[in-house]
Amino acid sequence: MNTVTSRTTRSTADWQRADAAHFLHPFTDFQSLARKGSRIITRADNIYLWDSEGHKILDAMSGLWCVNVGYGQQALIDAATRQLRELPFYNAFFQTATPPPIELAELLCEVTPPQFNHVFFTGSGSEGNDTVVRMVRRYWDVLGQPQRQVIISRKNAYHGSTMAGASLGGMAAMHAQGGLPIPGIVHIEQPYWYALGRSMSRDDFGRVAARWLEDKILEVGPDKVAAFIGEPVQGAGGVIIPPETYWPEIQRICDQYGILLVSDEVICGFGRTGHWFGCERFGVRPDLMTFAKGVTSGYIPLGGVMVGDRVATVMIEQGGEFEHGYTYSGHPTACAVGVANIRLIRELGLVQHVRDTAGPHLAKLFETLKDHPLVGDAETCGLMGALLLVKNKVTGELFPDEVGIGMVCRGHCFGNGLIMRAVGNRMIMAPPLVMTTAQIDEMGSLIRRCLDLTLEQARREGWMA
Ligand SMILES: *Cc1c(COP(=O)(O)O)cnc(C)c1O
């Protein structure tokens, strides 16, 4: 492993002490982390991170699904620096605007599907989904159908962590804390073939899973349903890639009942699937799209909602004042980075790179990993992938939850200079889109070594034969 001298004068132990004393981390058991101590990440370049001990780590999660252009891109650094010097902040509330959000809005309307000609900016993906809830309910109000309030989402979906975001999400553990979901949000089962549909072909299961939406619409009452929201590929839920038949059938059902279709593109947007947006990969025409993460490649926080013509026309021509907005809606520095990021994605041809080169190469790598005794299933979509770890690949038997096989494997990854994430028994990844085929091969060797170490441990501990 390469080592570098840390720029900081504080020792790792010192950082860990101060971290444990004062910093409450997101989605973390505070006490257990304080006991263990955080890993302190101090710098990054391209697809690699370095920690405070000088260890080099291949970041196969792009930070948190966001660093699409990789670390250290000078164009983004320059855009932020220039804007901070010129005008770090001014708001867009009181009939004013600054140039960066105007420029970014124009660019977003170029790279998104043709029905999108307007954007509402937020500070994050969660805020974007709060905006979605406010906007779809307002839309039906303005159209004289105020009873249309119900939004249908899916179990194991992730739509963020604010009250509305967590409610739209389908994470049972999140709902269990804080009295969620808020009223008017209901959930259907996810299109997870391996867990729910293995007795059928993938295509048959895709149609069955989509019709759960129709069942729910009929149960709630078609005149009460405002919208359906889904991630093209469920990210945080474990990179659940739906069968090809799923989304077209969802589109048909939304059309038939006239309900709005919302695509949460926070992960799938900006090239991740080999298309600009995940909805294009799966052939759907959403009315609204939430975005965040990849819009700035995570260099600075920014999110928003693309508002399709169907909704925008009503909101603009009949809606009057929309009583909603954030201090940082259209933050000039964040938007300047967004502009530089989209230009860079275009210049580097990253969407085509994922579609024609990196995505197929990752798919080939995952195909070869299927021969590993621990791997029960391996799937990719663009530069996203998941490996399902199983106890018995012939019967498909899973490890019991107590084993925590994913966390065991994740531990070996961390120890061997690779960041993958564990979601239950699924090992998932979403590496930076700039990744070369040679780097994918390098990652493949690391993955195989970590799977071997996990297998050795599973046998040693008697978890499998
Ligand atoms: C990360 C994520 C969000 C929430 O975005 P934040 O910026 O963390 O608020 C929403 N939807 C999806 C699909 C996400 O992956």
Side-chain angles (χ1 to χ4, degrees):
M1 259 177 244
N2 284 15
T3 56
V4 294
T5 313
S6 170
R7 271 185 305 182
T8 132
T9 52
R10 291 174 82 166
S11 69
T12 301
D14 193 28
W15 283 122
Q16 288 173 329
R17 226 172 358 255
D19 177 55
H22 304 296
F23 182 10
L24 301 176
H25 292 223
F27 285 99
T28 295
D29 176 335
F30 305 132
Q31 194 174 42
S32 102
L33 180 64
R35 233 181 266 128
K36 232 172 73 186
S38 298
R39 183 167 200 166
I40 311 293
I41 304 296
T42 50
R43 68 180 196 95
D45 187 44
N46 185 234
I47 65 165
Y48 303 100
L49 303 165
W50 282 265
D51 70 13
S52 54
E53 296 292 292
H55 297 121
K56 181 182 180 185
I57 309 158
L58 193 159
D59 182 13
M61 278 308 300
S62 303
L64 201 49
W65 317 91
C66 49
V67 187
N68 289 15
V69 297
Y71 299 96
Q73 292 286 4
Q74 196 60 40
L76 277 63
I77 299 163
D78 290 344
T81 311
R82 214 179 306 118
Q83 191 59 42
L84 283 169
R85 203 176 288 125
E86 204 166 285
L87 177 68
F89 177 75
Y90 194 73
N91 74 74
F93 274 50
F94 309 117
Q95 308 190 7
T96 58
T98 60
I102 300 173
E103 218 176 356
L104 181 57
E106 240 173 5
L107 261 183
L108 285 167
C109 293
E110 279 179 35
V111 299
T112 51
Q115 69 271 30
F116 293 110
N117 292 295
H118 295 86
V119 57
F120 193 98
F121 288 113
T122 70
S124 69
S126 302
E127 288 179 7
N129 282 325
D130 274 55
T131 298
V132 162
V133 171
R134 297 286 308 272
M135 197 175 279
V136 301
R137 289 182 172 168
R138 177 65 187 153
Y139 166 82
W140 288 112
D141 259 351
V142 172
L143 284 182
Q145 300 187 51
Q147 80 290 350
R148 275 209 197 239
Q149 292 282 300
V150 176
I151 300 170
I152 301 176
S153 181
R154 302 179 299 180
K155 292 183 184 165
N156 199 36
Y158 188 78
H159 296 297
S161 203
T162 52
M163 293 292 278
S167 296
L168 289 171
M171 300 295 180
M174 291 174 75
H175 290 176
Q177 298 180 357
L180 302 177
I182 57 173
I185 293 173
V186 297
H187 298 82
I188 59 172
E189 260 301 352
Q190 56 179 328
Y192 184 6
W193 174 79
Y194 197 92
L196 301 171
R198 255 190 309 155
S199 61
M200 289 171 247
S201 73
R202 281 185 199 254
D203 281 357
D204 286 347
F205 171 69
R207 279 182 286 267
V208 167
R211 288 189 194 135
W212 293 332
L213 172 61
E214 189 157 32
D215 295 345
K216 185 58 89 177
I217 292 170
L218 295 172
E219 179 193 320
V220 171
D223 61 327
K224 294 197 176 60
V225 179
F228 172 74
I229 183 167
E231 304 152 79
V233 172
Q234 286 153 262
V239 182
I240 311 291
I241 303 165
E244 295 295 334
T245 48
Y246 180 75
W247 277 108
E249 184 66 1
I250 291 282
Q251 176 80 61
R252 181 195 67 75
I253 293 164
C254 288
D255 288 348
Q256 181 176 333
Y257 295 95
I259 70 176
L260 296 171
L261 178 53
V262 186
S263 188
D264 183 336
E265 298 274 354
V266 172
I267 286 176
C268 292
F270 302 97
R272 176 59 61 194
T273 68
H275 298 256
W276 271 98
F277 292 88
C279 59
E280 298 168 295
R281 161 66 182 78
F282 292 100
V284 281
R285 286 170 286 102
D287 299 296
L288 298 160
M289 291 200 310
T290 317
F291 65 86
K293 298 189 172 116
V295 65
T296 55
S297 286
Y299 279 48
I300 201 162
L302 179 67
V305 180
M306 295 305 303
V307 183
D309 291 341
R310 174 182 173 191
V311 174
T313 305
V314 171
M315 295 295 287
I316 293 165
E317 291 177 7
Q318 306 168 55
E321 179 167 337
F322 185 39
E323 304 281 350
H324 175 73
Y326 307 100
T327 299
Y328 299 140
S329 289
H331 191 293
T333 305
C335 290
V337 174
V339 168
N341 179 60
I342 291 176
R343 288 191 180 141
L344 187 63
I345 291 174
R346 276 182 164 168
E347 266 168 45
L348 298 177
L350 288 183
V351 180
Q352 299 89 305
H353 172 67
V354 173
R355 192 189 56 212
D356 301 336
T357 308
H361 201 77
L362 183 71
K364 234 185 289 160
L365 165 67
F366 269 48
E367 214 34 61
T368 67
L369 290 171
K370 279 184 178 170
D371 69 8
H372 195 275
L374 272 180
V375 175
D377 200 16
E379 305 176 86
T380 66
C381 177
L383 271 192
M384 256 189 289
L387 300 168
L388 175 71
L389 305 187
V390 295
K391 181 172 171 177
N392 182 326
K393 52 193 296 173
V394 181
T395 61
E397 188 190 351
L398 302 174
F399 288 98
D401 288 348
E402 310 86 76
V403 165
I405 193 71
M407 292 307 278
V408 169
C409 184
R410 197 192 74 157
H412 288 299
C413 292
F414 254 54
N416 286 275
L418 172 68
I419 291 186
M420 279 215 277
R421 186 165 156 189
V423 178
N425 44 27
R426 291 172 78 77
M427 295 306 298
I428 63 174
M429 66 164 55
L433 310 188
V434 289
M435 211 178 198
T436 63
T437 51
Q439 288 173 327
I440 292 173
D441 293 340
E442 175 193 338
M443 178 175 75
S445 315
L446 286 171
I447 295 172
R448 198 167 272 281
R449 183 187 317 157
C450 298
L451 288 172
D452 287 344
L453 290 168
T454 307
L455 179 64
E456 266 171 42
Q457 185 174 349
R459 288 186 171 144
R460 205 167 50 236
E461 310 260 3
W463 299 331
M464 70 189 287

